[in-house]
Amino acid sequence: MARWNLRVAGVLARLLAEKQPDAWIEISTRFHVSDEMVERWTVTADKLVDGLDLATGVIEQFEGYHRLEEIDLASFEPRDIPMDLLLGRARTERSQVVKQADVVMLLYLLRESYPQSVLRANFDYYEPRTGHGSSLSPGIHAALAARVGSMALAEKYFAQTAAIDLDDRMGNAAGGIHMAAQGSLWQAAVFGFAGMDWHDDRLTVNPCLPSAWTHMAVPLTWRARSLRFTFDVESGETQVRLNAGKPLVVESPSGEQFSLAAGQQLRRPTDGRWSVLEVTGQ
Amino acid sequence: MTAEYESKAVIASVLVPLDGSSDSEAVIPIAREAARIMGATVRLLHVSDEPLKGEGLLTSTALQPTSLLGLVLENASGPPSAAILEAATGDHVVLIVMSSTGATGNGSRSLGHVASEVLQQTRCPLILVRPDVAKEFAAQGRGIKRLLLPLDGSPETSDALAPAANLAGLCQASLDVVHVAVQRDPTAQQIGALPIPRYQDQPHHALDLWTREFLRRFCSGFPTQPGHIRVETGDPGQAIVRTARELQSDLILMSWKGVLAENRAATVKTVLAEAPCPVLFLRPDGASMGSSGSDENKA
């Protein structure tokens, strides 16, 4: 994550210096950022290690993590309290139990930077070691599980996340809802099950909805464009409609790219052939 | 079974069953303290095989006449638990105080069979105290200044908060609560349950929020607000005992009804065996502190 932050900061600094030099001078002066420092960010980023084992594809949570005590979390199920309360702080710190999505979160956020095999290997490795002591954890697991095709786990974690506020058993309902958990729930639905994603120049879509779902519609605003995604499980039909905004490119699961203008929709009917159509009615 | 009373109590009374053993009599100072707090009279009920009167009754106990000052000594004969239960249902008994083991105890059991039967059958508030704890209390001249109420998040145990707070007010004592979180909480699904949060995004804040919610839901308007609200994990009985030791509690309040069969009531058994102080049992469906057994029967 630090490596990504440094690289993106370098890219943005150079972009700002090129496109808006006055703004860059003001910002770099205020924050004492020299050109040399920006170069050093990139050099430092290249030197950072991420603990990725090329043989297994697993990223070590931190150095020495693999040598910690393995604890079979499944043997504690069903349970109603966090693992660190059950095990105690000292034993938790000596074990491989992770409170929440850490490497899984990293790979979810940087899913375009790693091959599918790495996402899969790490999800399979860390999912059984995660205690989900944070409400932020199960939603991200649902999202990544859907991306790597573990649909049963994706559905389980989606339901678990939804229950955080729908099922008032947290003893803190008066304090409000768990907003971040709800955010992860939305992301699990949209970036997980609907398989939507954004890139520099295009959106992609690759839906795989839970078996019990029949229909899903997502209104979305992306870079001043108003879109609506619709998925119908029974008919197998997928639609991406651009309601307003500049034209954009949408990529199908097979890698085909379609340019959409406002008032057009990309449609995959039951025969599976994607095509761009004019929207005839609202 | 027959019962002949030396004197009929006409005001609220604290019943102390005796069997002639020094263990059973060791609880009298605790009963005196409870009676003082509640404005009640201490009734010593000596249960014997045959009816006793006068000098015979006095000599059947190990008590000195001077230690009986201000107390009522009575005799009942027959099966001990039946005699105690019958006495507790009449004559305005507001509390029973008895040793957890008596003359027939073999020293290895934390709960004698008479105390066990009374615990399971009475609807009257009951203080059980081990003889060693009772003797220590008497030696130290301890009062009841710090109460500990164990909860598990269930509505049933939470209902004990009101009587606990009232008792604390009566004793001018502080009230501590220990919530014992267990791996699988069967009460968590009950309506009105308040278990420990499954997720603790920031543990300090999560438990702080939970505590505030707990106070809002259960303790609004109480004369005595809980001082400490502690969250413990592990074996519930051990957690309660550990907390009572650490907080130097003078009385543990247990909201309980059930049976003491083998493999059941493990928490109650552990607390009775290891508690460093007397244990007050309040049945969720029983009489509250201050209401008499006879009143309960009328209801």
Side-chain angles (χ1 to χ4, degrees):
Chain A
M1 199 74 237
R3 188 166 65 197
W4 185 89
N5 285 339
L6 287 168
R7 284 177 176 161
V8 170
V11 167
L12 290 175
R14 291 187 200 95
L15 191 66
L16 194 60
E18 180 191 333
K19 302 285 186 187
Q20 296 188 43
D22 292 343
W24 170 244
I25 289 169
E26 184 194 334
I27 290 171
S28 59
T29 303
R30 194 197 313 168
F31 293 105
H32 309 290
V33 180
S34 64
D35 291 347
E36 184 197 355
M37 187 183 289
V38 173
E39 290 308 314
R40 215 163 48 235
W41 290 347
T42 308
V43 173
T44 303
D46 291 342
K47 288 180 179 173
L48 288 178
V49 294
D50 59 10
L52 173 63
D53 182 336
L54 294 175
T56 62
V58 172
I59 295 172
E60 191 170 24
Q61 170 99 1
F62 49 80
E63 191 175 2
Y65 173 83
H66 293 317
R67 294 194 297 273
L68 296 176
E69 180 191 5
E70 277 192 56
I71 289 180
D72 179 14
L73 291 186
S75 69
F76 288 87
E77 296 294 343
R79 66 182 162 87
D80 295 307
I81 59 174
M83 279 307 301
D84 52 347
L85 270 185
L86 271 179
L87 296 177
R89 177 175 291 183
R91 190 177 178 204
T92 304
E93 288 175 352
R94 292 194 306 269
S95 77
Q96 290 185 354
V97 175
V98 289
K99 180 186 177 187
Q100 59 196 36
D102 287 333
V103 174
V104 166
M105 175 69 92
L106 171 78
L107 294 176
Y108 166 71
L109 291 172
L110 304 184
R111 52 191 178 272
E112 298 302 317
S113 305
Y114 290 91
Q116 184 78 357
S117 61
V118 170
L119 304 188
R120 172 97 239 177
N122 283 277
F123 181 83
D124 290 347
Y125 182 80
Y126 284 106
E127 187 273 331
R129 290 170 170 78
T130 306
H132 304 291
S134 162
S135 66
L136 309 179
S137 189
I140 297 305
H141 274 73
L144 194 63
R147 297 297 287 239
V148 300
S150 292
M151 290 305 290
L153 284 173
E155 291 181 39
K156 172 193 152 187
Y157 284 124
F158 187 87
Q160 187 173 328
T161 310
I164 288 171
D165 283 317
L166 291 178
D167 193 358
D168 174 22
R169 296 198 292 119
M170 299 282 287
N172 52 14
I177 66 166
H178 296 74
M179 186 64 86
Q182 298 311 311
S184 73
L185 191 67
W186 186 88
Q187 292 185 53
V190 176
F191 302 137
F193 295 134
M196 290 161 55
D197 235 327
W198 70 95
H199 310 271
D200 286 346
D201 57 350
R202 67 194 191 285
L203 290 180
T204 54
V205 59
N206 189 7
C208 185
L209 269 52
S211 55
W213 293 19
T214 57
H215 190 83
M216 177 176 173
V218 183
L220 191 72
T221 300
W222 185 65
R223 293 185 180 173
R225 298 174 180 88
S226 169
L227 295 132
R228 183 177 177 83
F229 291 71
T230 309
F231 311 96
D232 193 277
V233 172
E234 234 170 66
S235 68
E237 185 167 307
T238 301
Q239 294 176 10
V240 182
R241 177 191 295 186
L242 178 60
N243 291 322
K246 293 179 181 175
L248 88 160
V249 173
V250 178
E251 186 176 304
S252 74
S254 61
E256 286 180 282
Q257 295 188 355
F258 300 88
S259 182
L260 277 184
Q264 290 185 319
Q265 69 175 13
L266 178 63
R267 180 164 173 258
R268 185 192 64 176
T270 48
D271 64 8
R273 294 172 58 188
W274 292 79
S275 57
V276 175
L277 304 169
E278 297 294 328
V279 178
T280 54
Q282 294 298 311
Chain B
M1 182 183 67
T2 61
E4 291 184 29
Y5 300 109
E6 293 291 310
S7 167
K8 286 284 182 186
V10 291
I11 59 170
S13 60
V14 172
L15 187 70
V16 182
L18 303 177
D19 60 7
S21 70
S22 62
D23 281 356
S24 70
E25 291 162 7
V27 306
I28 293 174
I30 294 169
R32 277 186 185 275
E33 173 67 0
R36 182 191 65 77
I37 291 166
M38 302 171 77
T41 298
V42 174
R43 283 174 54 202
L44 306 178
L45 178 70
H46 180 83
V47 184
S48 54
D49 293 335
E50 299 297 331
L52 296 169
K53 279 186 176 178
E55 194 70 19
L57 174 57
L58 190 58
T59 54
S60 68
T61 74
L63 297 167
Q64 296 298 316
T66 51
S67 66
L68 292 171
L69 280 174
L71 310 183
V72 176
L73 177 62
E74 304 168 351
N75 172 243
S77 59
S81 56
I84 296 165
L85 289 166
E86 184 180 313
T89 54
D91 293 325
H92 307 285
V93 174
V94 292
L95 176 69
I96 305 170
V97 180
M98 65 186 293
S99 169
S100 56
T101 57
T104 57
N106 59 15
S108 62
R109 293 172 63 187
S110 59
L111 189 63
H113 72 276
V114 176
S116 170
E117 286 176 13
V118 172
L119 171 60
Q120 292 175 93
Q121 293 178 44
T122 186
R123 298 185 70 200
C124 183
L126 167 68
I127 287 179
L128 287 176
V129 52
R130 291 199 318 278
D132 59 313
V133 171
K135 287 166 186 169
E136 191 183 320
F137 254 61
Q140 295 176 350
R142 281 174 73 173
I144 299 174
K145 293 296 173 194
R146 192 154 192 177
L147 312 184
L148 177 65
L149 177 66
L151 300 178
D152 60 11
S154 69
E156 202 166 72
T157 60
S158 300
D159 283 348
L161 267 162
N166 286 335
L167 182 61
L170 209 58
C171 302
Q172 295 183 305
S174 60
L175 174 64
D176 302 312
V177 170
V178 56
H179 180 107
V180 186
V182 293
Q183 177 178 335
R184 184 58 175 163
D185 184 356
T187 67
Q189 300 288 349
Q190 294 179 18
I191 294 172
L194 187 63
I196 291 296
R198 167 75 170 74
Y199 304 98
Q200 297 187 9
D201 300 338
Q202 295 170 301
H204 176 73
H205 294 301
L207 288 179
D208 183 52
L209 272 175
W210 178 87
T211 302
R212 282 168 21 205
E213 180 92 1
F214 176 89
L215 291 171
R216 265 198 301 267
R217 284 197 196 182
F218 299 116
C219 304
S220 294
F222 283 180
T224 301
Q225 291 289 305
H228 286 74
I229 298 180
R230 289 175 53 146
V231 174
E232 294 284 335
T233 56
D235 175 79
Q238 293 294 345
I240 294 165
V241 169
R242 186 171 61 243
T243 305
R245 285 204 185 102
E246 289 175 10
L247 297 181
Q248 298 185 299
S249 307
D250 298 314
L251 185 67
I252 298 173
L253 281 67
M254 301 282 289
S255 176
W256 185 79
K257 64 169 182 176
V259 292
L260 293 164
E262 200 175 351
N263 299 324
R264 298 190 67 174
T267 300
V268 166
K269 289 173 184 171
T270 301
V271 170
L272 282 171
E274 300 183 32
C277 60
V279 184
L280 168 62
F281 288 89
L282 295 167
R283 283 180 68 109
D285 61 348
S288 59
M289 294 288 289
S291 68
S292 69
S294 53
D295 290 341
E296 196 65 27
N297 288 341
K298 287 171 195 166

